[in-house]
Amino acid sequence: MLILVTYDVEVNSEDGVKRLRKVSKICENYGIRVQNSVFECIVDNLQFEMLKSDISKIIDKTRDSVRYYNLGKSGKRKVLHVGAKPSIDVEDIIII
């Protein structure tokens, strides 16, 4: 399923900057960054639960927020990209 993860981490402190980096790294393990704090992730149910658990352990629930949008198995068809950044197919093979 395609999950869109968006987050807003308060960075007015050194601890906040560290949390932001950690949330970003977790998201990179599950998907591809499509905007600064937005990731598209192709995951199964177990991976989705692990992603939410990993992020939940890092964020400060009184200062930070995370949103998960479940676009489902046909999520790619629900995404319309317009603009400068090239659209990335998160299910394509990526060579680094």
Side-chain angles (χ1 to χ4, degrees):
M1 71 183 115
L2 177 61
I3 304 294
L4 189 70
V5 180
T6 67
Y7 55 88
D8 186 18
V9 176
E10 177 273 319
V11 293
N12 293 335
S13 65
E14 188 175 321
D15 185 49
V17 173
K18 288 179 184 178
R19 287 193 318 275
L20 177 65
R21 274 193 231 113
K22 288 179 181 181
V23 169
S24 176
K25 283 289 188 189
I26 290 168
C27 289
E28 286 173 354
N29 289 334
Y30 290 91
I32 295 176
R33 182 188 305 271
V34 292
Q35 291 191 357
N36 286 340
S37 296
V38 181
F39 282 78
E40 289 180 355
C41 306
I42 300 289
V43 293
D44 59 28
N45 288 329
L46 179 59
Q47 290 168 322
F48 185 34
E49 292 304 317
M50 290 170 51
L51 168 65
K52 292 187 296 184
S53 174
D54 291 348
I55 290 175
S56 181
K57 292 174 188 172
I58 301 301
I59 66 167
D60 179 337
K61 292 175 182 71
T62 64
R63 298 187 214 165
D64 309 330
S65 69
V66 181
R67 290 179 177 248
Y68 303 95
Y69 298 90
N70 185 340
L71 300 177
K73 292 181 181 178
S74 61
K76 268 184 7 181
R77 292 188 300 230
K78 297 176 184 176
V79 176
L80 172 64
H81 174 250
V82 178
K85 291 184 178 181
S87 184
I88 297 171
D89 185 351
V90 293
E91 293 183 295
D92 255 356
I93 296 172
I94 300 175
I95 299 173
I96 299 176

